[in-house]
Amino acid sequence: MKRPLMIITLAALFTACNPLEYDNFATISGIVVDVDDQSPIEGATVTLNPSGKYRYTDNNGYFQFLDIDVEPYDILGQKDGYSSYLKHVPTVAGGSENIIIPLKKK
């Protein structure tokens, strides 16, 4: 009778000692703004490379990429009528990077 209890206890102990999976991911978020007056730009496209994932900014110019793989990314901000902006962003496991993408009117 003691042996099954010991096996269950050991199994629970080993399970509790495993590292959490979410520590292998990162978050990148930020805002896209007009470079001249710092106003937020709604509807800008923010592309994450090399993954190819993209987001559109909300009415406050905000975007967010959750639970992305930990690696360096090139972030491309674009909007019709503005010049594109490219920014290199490194990430770390469990980290959150908050960036500003300034776009200039053409």
Side-chain angles (χ1 to χ4, degrees):
M1 189 72 165
K2 290 182 182 179
R3 186 174 181 116
L5 182 58
M6 185 179 4
I7 292 172
I8 292 171
T9 303
L10 288 173
L13 181 61
F14 288 128
T15 302
C17 292
N18 287 338
L20 299 175
E21 297 237 358
Y22 67 82
D23 285 342
N24 295 323
F25 297 102
T27 297
I28 297 176
S29 60
I31 186 169
V32 178
V33 298
D34 184 294
V35 73
D36 293 322
D37 63 10
Q38 300 301 303
S39 62
I41 300 176
E42 179 180 2
T45 305
V46 180
T47 306
L48 189 64
N49 289 309
S51 76
K53 294 179 183 179
Y54 63 93
R55 302 286 186 269
Y56 295 108
T57 56
D58 66 12
N59 60 333
N60 295 312
Y62 183 77
F63 66 91
Q64 186 175 50
F65 296 94
L66 296 171
D67 298 328
I68 56 174
D69 291 331
V70 176
E71 62 180 308
Y73 290 96
D74 289 322
I75 308 282
L76 179 64
Q78 297 174 298
K79 172 83 176 177
D80 286 343
Y82 290 85
S83 297
S84 298
Y85 182 84
L86 184 65
K87 183 174 185 93
H88 182 76
V89 179
T91 58
V92 295
S96 181
E97 300 297 325
N98 192 16
I99 63 173
I100 297 174
I101 297 176
L103 299 183
K104 184 160 181 66
K105 288 184 181 174
K106 290 182 181 178

